[in-house]
Each structure stands twice: as C-alpha cells, then as structure tokens.
Amino acid sequence: MDKIEEAREILKFVGMPKAQQSDLCCYVLLAMAGIKPGMIWKEANNSWIRIHDMIQFCNGYYGTTYAENSRETFRKQALHRFRTAALVEDNGKATNSPNYRYRLTEETLILLRSFQSAAWKQTSAKFMEYHEKLVDIYSSKKKMTMMPVKINGNDLKFSKGKHNELQKAIIEQFAPRFAPGAECLYVGDTIEKDLFKNVEKLKKLGFEITLHDKMPDVVLYCEDKEWLYFVECVTSGGPMDPKRILEITEMTKKVNSGKIFVTAFLDFRTYKKFAEDLAWETEVWIAEMPDHMIHLNGDKFMGPRRR
C-alpha cells in the first residue's frame, strides 16, 4: 500500500466524509505529518506549517503540480474540515497573515505514529472514544444537542461532548466553590475554538496572546485577590505536566497576578491514568467529587485539620 492509500485509510477510519478522503486531503495529511515516500508513520511530526509549505512538500516529494493559487482549495476542502474534526489546529493569527499556520493536534499525532504498529488497536480505540466523526457531526448538525452554560452572566452553549461537559462543570461547580466571584476570561469549545475570550482584559493583565491553542481550556480571574486560575480539562490528554507549566509561564511572563494551575477530570478513574504526569505545585479537581481538591504542593497545606 502506498502512502496515499495509507493516508486515505486513516482518514476513512477517523470518519472523514468521502470528499475528505480525496487525493488532495491525503496529500495534506502527509504534508502536515512530514511523511515522505519511504518513511514510516512512527516518524510523523506536528510542526507548524503554512499552506505554501504543504504545496511545496506535495510537489517536491509526491510529484504533484499544485499551483500557489490552489491554497484556498487546500483550506476549504481539507484544512477547514480537518479542524472541525479536531484533527488539526491553527495558531490563531489572522488568516491573511503570512505567519498563519496549522499543525496536527497532539492526539492526532499519537494516532498517526501508531498506524501499522502493534499499538494501533489500543491507540485508535482511545482516539475514537473522545473524537466525534465528522461525518456524524455533519449528519446531525441541525439537531445537535447543545449544553447551555452561563458565563459572566451571558447565556452561551457548548457543543456536546465529554470535554465540554467538564468545562461546563468547571464554570458552574468548580468556580463557585474554589474561585468565588471569579470572572471567566477565556473558555474554548471543541468545535468553536474560542467560545468566549475577553481579549481586552487578558492583554491588560499582561497576556501575550499569539497562539490560542496554547491557552488553557479555562482561564478564571479573581480581581480582589489578583489570582488567575489556569484550568486544563483532561478527558484524553493534556494535563498540567511540567512542559505545559513552562508553556503557560512563557505566555504569561508579563503577568503579575498570582497563578494557580489546575487539572480537572470528570472522574477519579481518569485522574489515576494521569496522576504520574502531573507537575508539583499544581492542583487537581475531580468533577464527580466537586467539594474537594488534591493539592500537589508539598508542605504548603500541612497541618492539623479542624473537624
């Protein structure tokens, strides 16, 4: 099986519609993963890449003849659909910016690297557990169940899914308990990336908002204490590990407010899967036990408890 057919098999497996199993979409997937003829999928990467680079990659390594004026076709036929299916993400720049780029999500990268390996069955099952097939999204888009949520007094709606279910719990259950009076400055959605973002307030606090994908899932701010809560919602990946802490710290190096790093889980079972990855000096909140938190903070909270 050549690389085009292998890419098509992957796109078919993740539930892309027939139109997004075309040769063009296969070439885009190969270009984004950096897979050249003769390479194995274990060598895939998810470096940031422009559409111009994708065109050059396809023409240079696969003998295609795509012209520069085909960029819009790449965008509309492949990249927009891939992003809706949560296979890729963009860097949040204006679409007409020369610095606008895409990359594979971490979950997609893990999936591709396991293709044709012994780990494929387990990895692919885990991936599909948390990713709706685009063909299913399209077929039910008009009647998709939305989850209402009130953010800073505004009525908004999350699309259905475990990740958004957890984000809703953070806003409605975590915040009143552990960040009373906090204002939500940012929250995303699995389909609408930036569901709510207070850009003016974030910049005033010193955020350098350049890559929206690096934003934590939820950002809360307590003005009276000058505390910022950075909350990651973990259903399939992405806890507050040391690497994530460094990323957020770099993005907020000009922010003077106190920073609190929280990893949120739907249940204790999921928490146990990621417990070893969590960074010290962070907090854990589990939605099924909303009144309690786990503090990975050494002796900071050591002492007798009043009963």
Side-chain angles (χ1 to χ4, degrees), residues 63-92:
T64 56
T65 56
Y66 294 116
E68 282 297 320
N69 62 9
S70 62
R71 283 180 294 179
E72 196 61 21
T73 303
F74 272 62
R75 184 178 291 112
K76 288 185 176 180
Q77 290 190 15
L79 293 163
H80 283 184
R81 317 296 184 179
F82 287 2
R83 186 170 56 190
T84 301
L87 299 180
V88 307
E89 56 194 358
D90 62 67
N91 65 0

Side-chain angles (χ1 to χ4, degrees), residues 17-271:
K18 195 72 175 178
Q20 277 66 57
Q21 298 174 32
S22 65
D23 284 358
L24 182 144
C25 292
C26 293
Y27 284 127
V28 169
L29 184 65
L30 289 165
M32 295 195 71
I35 296 294
K36 305 169 187 174
M39 290 177 64
I40 59 175
W41 287 95
K42 189 177 180 180
E43 299 174 271
N45 68 74
N46 66 338
S47 301
W48 292 104
I49 184 172
R50 300 171 299 172
I51 296 180
H52 165 79
D53 302 320
M54 297 178 201
I55 292 172
Q56 295 297 309
F57 183 95
C58 297
N59 290 347
Y61 292 105
Y62 288 95
T64 56
T65 56
Y66 294 116
E68 282 297 320
N69 62 9
S70 62
R71 283 180 294 179
E72 196 61 21
T73 303
F74 272 62
R75 184 178 291 112
K76 288 185 176 180
Q77 290 190 15
L79 293 163
H80 283 184
R81 317 296 184 179
F82 287 2
R83 186 170 56 190
T84 301
L87 299 180
V88 307
E89 56 194 358
D90 62 67
N91 65 0
K93 298 286 186 181
T95 53
N96 60 355
S97 167
N99 295 316
Y100 189 80
R101 287 170 168 77
Y102 298 89
R103 73 175 176 186
L104 300 171
T105 64
E106 288 294 330
E107 292 86 354
T108 304
L109 179 63
I110 293 170
L111 179 75
L112 296 186
R113 285 178 172 172
S114 72
F115 185 63
Q116 296 181 324
S117 75
W120 170 254
K121 185 176 181 180
Q122 181 179 356
T123 303
S124 61
K126 183 177 180 180
F127 182 90
M128 294 310 296
E129 183 180 353
Y130 295 103
H131 283 73
E132 289 187 83
K133 294 181 179 181
L134 186 59
V135 66
D136 293 337
I137 293 174
Y138 282 177
S139 66
S140 62
K141 195 168 186 179
K142 290 183 180 178
K143 52 186 178 182
M144 183 182 291
T145 303
M146 303 294 283
M147 296 186 293
V149 60
K150 191 175 286 290
I151 300 177
N152 303 340
N154 300 309
D155 291 316
L156 298 174
K157 290 186 177 180
F158 281 129
S159 52
K160 190 177 180 181
K162 292 192 175 191
H163 189 86
N164 286 342
E165 180 184 335
L166 181 52
Q167 293 196 132
K168 178 178 168 69
I170 288 166
I171 292 166
E172 295 181 347
Q173 298 185 52
F174 168 82
R177 287 173 169 87
F178 299 104
E183 175 186 1
C184 181
L185 300 185
Y186 176 88
V187 63
D189 180 86
T190 50
I191 292 180
E192 187 179 345
K193 189 72 175 179
D194 297 335
L195 181 69
F196 182 86
K197 185 198 302 190
N198 188 334
V199 176
E200 183 179 346
K201 190 68 169 282
L202 288 167
K203 288 185 175 179
K204 184 178 179 181
L205 288 170
F207 277 71
E208 294 182 1
I209 305 173
T210 55
L211 304 178
H212 73 204
D213 65 287
K214 286 193 173 183
M215 288 289 287
D217 291 314
V218 180
V219 178
L220 303 170
Y221 179 58
C222 281
E223 189 164 11
D224 58 339
K225 295 181 179 179
E226 293 190 37
W227 285 1
L228 276 163
Y229 296 74
F230 302 122
V231 189
E232 290 288 21
C233 306
V234 177
T235 52
S236 61
M240 283 293 185
D241 57 18
K243 177 177 177 291
R244 191 70 179 102
I245 299 295
L246 288 174
E247 289 176 350
I248 297 174
T249 300
E250 175 63 22
M251 183 180 67
T252 60
K253 59 187 177 184
K254 295 182 180 178
V255 175
N256 294 320
S257 301
K259 301 169 187 177
I260 300 169
F261 301 93
V262 183
T263 305
F265 300 95
L266 277 171
D267 50 52
F268 195 78
R269 180 169 61 93
T270 309
Y271 159 70

